[in-house]
Amino acid sequence: MKKVVTFGVFDYFHLGHLRLFKRCKEKGDYLIVAIHDDDHVKVNKPECDLYYTQQERMEMISEIRCVDKVIFYDQVDETIKRIDFDTLIVGPDQINPHFQAAIKYCNEHNKEVIVLPRTPNISSTDIKIYKK
Ligand code: CTP
């Protein structure tokens, strides 16, 4: 069984997130979604004005059919060492030093890394701006 994992904040769950999950599931048999926890979003993405708590984000994502498991993460490069997986899927925007370290870990431990393009014209930030 090929296990795929992807990481993100997933605030204001939207079509771009759903399509990411569906495309992730096409790359494997079992999809793990790791949700950035509230405390570390504040540190790693201070510009992100979270609307939903980590529990609320987990509540929504857990109900999505193609998602097999949902976990929280603090730092991607730390959490990834504790997950049983075969493939890491990232977006082209996930380039901060923690993601770079996680990708390095994958390369050193024979794990596949796939970069998937974003769905155009939608983001949590856009929704928040529109709502204001
Ligand atoms: N993503 C995507 N298509 C979009 C938006 C996000 O494929 N239109 C992917 C990102 O590439 C990443 C994951 O979803 O792999 C989580 O991204 P996240 O930062 O939570 O979503 P954004 O909508 O980009 O949020 P923000 O505007 O706060 O950056």
Side-chain angles (χ1 to χ4, degrees):
M1 182 192 284
K2 186 172 169 184
K3 293 186 177 178
V4 173
V5 64
T6 197
F7 291 78
V9 180
F10 309 112
D11 198 23
Y12 263 126
F13 191 81
H14 58 66
L15 189 62
H17 297 146
L18 180 66
R19 287 186 177 162
L20 169 72
F21 294 167
K22 286 160 77 174
R23 287 182 295 158
C24 285
K25 193 60 179 277
E26 288 167 6
K27 303 286 183 192
D29 308 298
Y30 187 89
L31 173 58
I32 304 161
V33 175
I35 299 177
H36 213 6
D37 71 36
D38 291 344
D39 289 346
H40 289 84
V41 171
K42 285 177 197 139
V43 174
N44 290 342
K45 222 175 160 181
E47 74 285 2
C48 177
D49 183 18
L50 273 179
Y51 185 77
Y52 288 114
T53 66
Q54 62 185 51
Q55 293 298 345
E56 290 167 336
R57 288 178 282 137
M58 179 177 263
E59 185 179 339
M60 286 185 269
I61 292 171
S62 301
E63 293 299 324
I64 294 167
R65 201 183 310 150
C66 63
V67 176
D68 296 291
K69 186 175 181 183
V70 187
I71 60 171
F72 294 121
Y73 75 97
D74 44 20
Q75 300 292 10
V76 56
D77 47 330
E78 290 302 320
T79 304
I80 202 157
K81 296 174 189 166
R82 302 192 291 269
I83 303 174
D84 173 25
F85 75 104
D86 303 289
T87 302
L88 167 66
I89 298 186
V90 293
D93 49 310
Q94 294 181 316
I95 51 170
N96 72 36
H98 293 289
F99 275 97
Q100 288 175 27
I103 290 167
K104 185 165 178 276
Y105 172 87
C106 291
N107 292 335
E108 290 168 354
H109 291 82
N110 207 23
K111 309 282 190 187
E112 183 182 27
V113 178
I114 297 175
V115 182
L116 287 180
R118 289 168 64 92
T119 297
N121 305 324
I122 179 119
S123 73
S124 304
T125 305
D126 288 348
I127 296 169
K128 287 171 192 173
I129 290 169
Y130 180 75
K131 190 172 167 286
K132 277 181 184 170

